[in-house]
Amino acid sequence: MSAASEEVSDVTAHGKEPTLKRVLGPKLLLLFIVGDILGAGVYAVTGTMAGTVGGIVWLPFLLAFVVATLTAFSYLELVTQYPQAAGAALYTHKAFGIHFVTFLVAFAVVCSGITSASTSANVLAQNFFGGLEINGWMGNPGQGVITAVALGFMILLAAINLRGVGESVKFNVVLTVVEMAALCIVIGVGFFVMAQGTGNPGEIFVFNDSQDKGLFLAVTAATSIAFFAMVGFEDSVNMVEETQNPEKIFPRTMLTGLGIAVLLYMLVAVSVVSVLTPTELEGIREAEGAALLEVVHKGSPDFPIDRVFPFLAVFAVANTALINMLMASRLIYGMARQHVLPRQLGKVLPVRRTPWAGIAFSTVLALGLILYVTSDPESNIVANLSGTTAFLLLCVFTVVNVACVVLRRKRDPHRKVFFTSPGQLPLVAAALCAFLAGPWVGRNIIQYQIAGGLMAIGVILWLITWMINRRTNDGDRVDL
């Protein structure tokens, strides 16, 4: 951040201006982190992963957890050194001090929120209609109907966002419990099937190379896909100013949250393999976001639980999308206020005090994104959107890991150190994130096109704003 920003932070720290209320203790912070990681991710990617590696679908989850944990070490080192709610953009600017690089990182985070919310919208629509079909309330709808519901859901999110959503800790606790309950249903069904002796536990260690990629490339590709299910832990650093004694509780709590998430994911993966046959695992790729619904439906034919599960999934996925769009609109608002995006995007409703321009901009991008991806009837919509999200965040994580090494060299030797990532792990994490972001993992080219198109929009807006700032001599206001 600039000197002006640091002066504001210092003034706030000395009590001349009100600070955020520190309401999050270890338990509530843990629920926030777990709730942020869980949600749309596991619903969106499990089917694609199973269609890529077959029975060892649990392995990519484990490897994605390792990469995410190495990156979390870097975040923990940085958040305990710089306990301010600005995340990757703050660390990037403190490390490199280049406004444009900081903007690229910040806008990539915005785009990841938009693509993640778009993924959630499609997963929500698929599970919603899956629930209606299982309950016999309607038949299988066409892709056009599913797309229309996804678009309508994004508009509904915009309306909720415009009205003003107070994110309370108690509400987050309820949502997290619902998310965990839905996944526990999948796990329970899987272990019930195995207990009845009708499952396929022997398939858990069987690799099915349905795409003829070979073990290494197939697992690498699936790990890149699985990374979408592990993201969310990085959002918690934006809660640092509302956390009690963050330097001490953040490391243990974040790592515990990651551990809980990967444990649930691996148990879900075991349940999927136990319930579905190898042939069904190969074909489950086409189920996209409804893969877990198929597991519950097949594994519990005599119980009504499969009639309820789709709507629990809808609730969990909706929460993910809402958080994503809240984050994206607020970041756009913040960048407009910092004069790195057009000022018009920083407009606020006079009564509701919500950033209507940022909400409208992010919603239009999300709607256009859904229409673009669904325009190709042969494409895997959920896989392409979730893959784009993972790609954007892998790029951001690469920068953050490098920034961790740079800032370690700039560290004040007299300042107390609360957490340090062991040895050269940040560089290892940076290399792994960069590797998983590359084309060699089999990422569909459309994912690069989507990410490039979104970032190009941001760069064009940044250039327009930069030229306006030069003409008006307002460039000094840029703090990013």
Side-chain angles (χ1 to χ4, degrees):
M1 303 294 282
S2 70
S5 298
E6 291 173 351
E7 288 173 5
V8 171
S9 299
D10 290 339
V11 169
T12 303
H14 284 86
K16 295 183 180 178
E17 294 181 11
T19 59
L20 295 175
K21 187 176 181 180
R22 297 188 180 275
V23 297
L24 293 180
K27 294 180 181 179
L28 291 179
L29 179 62
L30 178 62
L31 285 170
F32 178 87
I33 292 172
V34 172
D36 206 9
I37 298 174
L38 301 180
V42 68
Y43 297 95
V45 303
T46 303
T48 304
M49 290 166 57
T52 303
V53 298
I56 59 170
V57 65
W58 54 270
L59 180 58
F61 278 127
L62 180 60
L63 295 176
F65 163 74
V66 172
V67 177
T69 301
L70 295 180
T71 300
F73 284 157
S74 296
Y75 268 93
L76 290 172
E77 179 172 333
L78 294 169
V79 76
T80 53
Q81 284 294 304
Y82 308 101
Q84 296 169 257
L90 171 67
Y91 312 143
T92 301
H93 197 75
K94 283 190 174 294
F96 308 111
I98 303 173
H99 291 303
F100 183 63
V101 174
T102 306
F103 165 78
L104 289 177
V105 170
F107 200 76
V109 175
V110 170
C111 293
S112 72
I114 293 172
T115 54
S116 178
S118 301
T119 307
S120 299
N122 281 277
V123 173
L124 179 144
Q126 291 172 2
N127 277 276
F128 176 72
F129 284 114
L132 296 181
E133 184 178 0
I134 286 175
N135 283 280
W137 296 334
M138 69 172 295
N140 186 25
Q143 181 58 51
V145 177
I146 294 176
T147 300
V149 171
L151 294 172
F153 174 65
M154 294 306 303
I155 295 173
L156 176 61
L157 285 184
I160 295 173
N161 207 345
L162 282 170
R163 183 172 178 82
V165 180
E167 289 289 332
S168 71
V169 175
K170 291 182 180 179
F171 187 52
N172 178 69
V173 170
V174 173
L175 294 175
T176 301
V177 170
V178 171
E179 291 170 351
M180 294 180 70
L183 295 182
C184 286
I185 288 174
V186 179
I187 296 168
V189 168
F191 280 83
F192 172 78
V193 169
M194 285 190 285
Q196 297 296 310
T198 57
N200 310 299
E203 293 293 322
I204 295 174
F205 299 102
V206 176
F207 167 59
N208 298 318
D209 193 9
S210 60
Q211 297 180 306
D212 297 323
K213 289 186 175 183
L215 178 62
F216 177 77
L217 288 179
V219 172
T220 301
T223 301
S224 178
I225 296 169
F227 203 80
F228 176 69
M230 292 306 304
V231 299
F233 68 90
E234 76 283 355
D235 288 338
S236 64
V237 300
N238 293 314
M239 303 296 291
V240 64
E241 294 183 37
E242 296 167 87
T243 302
Q244 301 165 4
N245 202 6
E247 293 88 351
K248 291 186 177 181
I249 74 170
F250 240 97
R252 180 178 65 254
T253 306
M254 181 183 286
L255 295 177
T256 302
L258 279 165
I260 292 173
V262 73
L263 178 61
L264 288 173
Y265 288 166
M266 291 181 68
L267 290 174
V268 166
V270 169
S271 298
V272 170
V273 175
S274 300
V275 173
L276 302 180
T277 66
T279 302
E280 289 170 331
L281 283 177
E282 184 176 340
I284 200 174
R285 172 188 295 271
E286 302 304 321
E288 294 189 341
L292 299 189
L293 175 58
E294 289 193 7
V295 173
V296 175
H297 180 55
K298 180 182 178 182
S300 58
D302 300 324
F303 294 90
I305 197 167
D306 66 326
R307 300 176 182 271
V308 178
F309 176 79
F311 303 109
L312 290 178
V314 164
F315 192 63
V317 170
N319 176 50
T320 300
L322 178 59
I323 292 175
N324 290 149
M325 294 305 286
L326 281 167
M327 177 274 292
S329 61
R330 268 59 179 183
L331 276 177
I332 290 170
Y333 161 79
M335 286 189 283
R337 298 284 289 181
Q338 296 291 339
H339 293 195
V340 293
L341 284 179
R343 301 179 195 178
Q344 290 78 5
L345 293 177
K347 298 292 185 181
V348 176
L349 284 177
V351 178
R352 292 291 179 184
R353 306 300 294 271
T354 51
W356 69 265
I359 294 170
F361 180 74
S362 57
T363 302
V364 168
L365 282 182
L367 295 176
L369 187 57
I370 292 173
L371 289 172
Y372 174 74
V373 176
T374 56
S375 63
D376 181 5
E378 302 298 323
S379 67
N380 189 316
I381 299 166
V382 171
N384 288 332
L385 289 173
S386 61
T388 304
T389 305
F391 167 71
L392 288 166
L393 287 178
L394 283 166
C395 292
V396 171
F397 291 167
T398 301
V399 175
V400 170
N401 281 308
V402 174
C404 181
V405 176
V406 173
L407 290 172
R408 184 180 292 177
R409 296 168 182 167
K410 297 181 178 180
R411 183 184 296 170
D412 183 354
H414 302 292
R415 187 173 182 178
K416 184 177 180 180
V417 177
F418 293 93
F419 185 91
T420 299
S421 180
Q424 297 301 310
L425 279 187
L427 291 179
V428 175
L432 290 173
C433 289
F435 175 76
L436 290 176
W440 38 80
V441 300
R443 193 180 302 279
N444 194 314
I445 191 172
I446 192 175
Q447 297 175 21
Y448 294 107
Q449 293 171 345
I450 294 170
L454 290 172
M455 293 301 294
I457 293 172
V459 171
I460 292 171
L461 292 174
W462 183 86
L463 287 171
I464 293 172
T465 308
W466 179 75
M467 289 187 290
I468 293 174
N469 287 341
R470 287 194 65 183
R471 290 182 180 180
T472 59
N473 295 319
D474 209 13
D476 292 339
R477 290 286 303 282
V478 179
D479 291 333
L480 280 176

